[in-house]
Amino acid sequence: MKLRKVTAASATVLALALSATACGSDSGKESGSGDGGDKITIGIKYDQPGLGLKTPDGFTGFDVDVATYVAKELGYAEDDIEFKETKSADRETALARGDVDFIAATYSITDERKQKVDFAGPYLLAHQDLLIRADDNVSKGDDLNGKKLCSVTGSTSAQNVKAKFAPDAQLQQVGTYSECLNGLQSGAVDALTTDDSILAGYASQEQYKGKFKLAGLKLSNENYGIGVKKGDKEMVDKINAALEKMVQDKSWDKAVKDNFGPANYKNEPAPKIGNIVK
């Protein structure tokens, strides 16, 4: 077989063609573009029933439903969504590195966080509250004085109760909220505290239905937003438009009922975009 000699000019053309092909062959997600690239990566929690929970069958929760709706409005099919576990301490870093395109993970909007990331939303107004046994009653924070209050180690929620409402509460800190729930069920503790949305999610689990209820004290305001890489105003605007549509077409109401209904969660109405309740 006779091979044709490649001239210098031909080699140059071939090299340029190969270079152009290589540049155009990146099939990865177009981070921050929101224009229906191949994939979109979304940060969520994996361990919060009712909000963001990884199960053998996939992912469930209100944050998951919100994130999925937003992604579809950005042009991504459900199969093109990649959920990535994003723990609280890692959220700002994950956005800055481009590990995720946005984060929907009980991410309260605060002035401190806004220095590092941008937020769309808020899409839910939650409150710090107490989870108590179904046959108990707590009408105000100081009812916890002398009672056993449970939360996870390092939680600011329990410290907030002791500092502002019940200085004589007996604080017990454990590794997981599930441990608190077991203690609440057995009578070892009298109340569990964190955001009411998180509490409602746990109380809605099949094994806990009818056993617990929210006290409804509204001890703080938590404006959940969708975190976006700092400076990506285009993405923020697109997500805000998607959130507004989710409220208008009642998908937001359905997501609340589907994920929190069994706990009789008295949720706030869907917040207006940009309306941060202090």
Side-chain angles (χ1 to χ4, degrees):
M1 179 176 175
K2 187 175 180 181
L3 297 176
R4 187 172 56 187
K5 185 177 180 180
V6 179
T7 65
S10 298
T12 300
V13 171
L14 179 61
L16 289 172
L18 289 173
S19 175
T21 301
C23 290
S25 64
D26 182 7
S27 60
K29 68 181 183 350
E30 298 176 25
S31 179
S33 63
D35 58 3
D38 291 334
K39 296 287 183 181
I40 187 167
T41 304
I42 303 171
I44 61 169
K45 295 289 182 66
Y46 275 19
D47 59 352
Q48 288 185 340
L51 286 152
L53 183 68
K54 184 179 182 181
T55 74
D57 299 321
F59 300 91
T60 66
F62 182 73
D63 284 349
V64 174
D65 289 348
V66 170
T68 300
Y69 187 99
V70 168
K72 288 181 178 179
E73 288 299 306
L74 294 178
Y76 296 91
E78 193 164 344
D79 290 343
D80 295 329
I81 301 171
E82 296 180 348
F83 287 116
K84 184 179 180 68
E85 184 176 21
T86 313
K87 297 180 179 179
S88 296
D90 301 330
R91 290 179 295 205
E92 286 82 19
T93 302
L95 286 170
R97 284 197 308 241
D99 295 343
V100 294
D101 292 295
F102 65 78
I103 292 175
T106 59
Y107 204 178
S108 295
I109 302 172
T110 67
D111 290 339
E112 181 181 1
R113 288 171 178 163
K114 284 162 66 176
Q115 301 301 311
K116 301 176 182 177
V117 302
D118 285 337
F119 284 99
Y123 63 90
L124 183 71
L125 175 60
H127 306 281
Q128 185 185 341
D129 200 358
L130 304 174
L131 191 69
I132 56 179
R133 287 179 287 273
D135 56 353
D136 287 346
N137 284 295
V138 175
S139 61
K140 54 187 184 301
D142 61 9
D143 286 347
L144 286 173
N145 280 318
K147 299 293 184 68
K148 295 175 182 176
L149 176 65
C150 189
S151 195
V152 297
T153 302
S155 167
T156 58
S157 299
Q159 299 296 341
N160 186 47
V161 171
K162 278 188 68 69
K164 297 181 180 180
F165 304 102
D168 295 327
Q170 300 173 33
L171 177 59
Q172 297 186 13
Q173 298 185 78
V174 296
T176 66
Y177 288 119
S178 295
E179 293 177 68
C180 285
L181 284 164
N182 291 335
L184 190 58
Q185 186 171 355
S186 69
V189 299
D190 300 301
L192 160 60
T193 186
T194 187
D195 294 356
D196 55 4
S197 58
I198 298 174
L199 296 174
Y202 277 103
S204 295
Q205 290 181 283
E206 190 65 36
Q207 67 268 36
Y208 298 129
K209 285 182 180 178
K211 296 180 179 180
F212 307 126
K213 65 181 181 182
L214 292 165
L217 300 188
K218 298 184 179 180
L219 301 174
S220 71
N221 296 320
E222 306 295 336
N223 300 270
Y224 290 173
I226 293 183
V228 173
K229 188 173 183 178
K230 189 70 176 175
D232 195 348
K233 185 178 184 303
E234 181 182 0
M235 179 63 99
V236 169
D237 290 344
K238 289 180 178 180
I239 293 176
N240 279 337
L243 292 174
E244 289 176 341
K245 183 177 178 181
M246 187 177 186
V247 172
Q248 291 168 0
D249 67 16
K250 304 301 182 182
S251 297
W252 188 91
D253 294 308
K254 182 179 184 302
V256 169
K257 183 178 180 181
D258 288 347
N259 293 290
F260 303 128
N264 294 319
Y265 176 48
K266 296 177 175 60
N267 63 283
E268 297 280 2
K272 296 184 182 300
I273 298 301
N275 183 27
I276 308 299
V277 179
K278 298 296 187 179

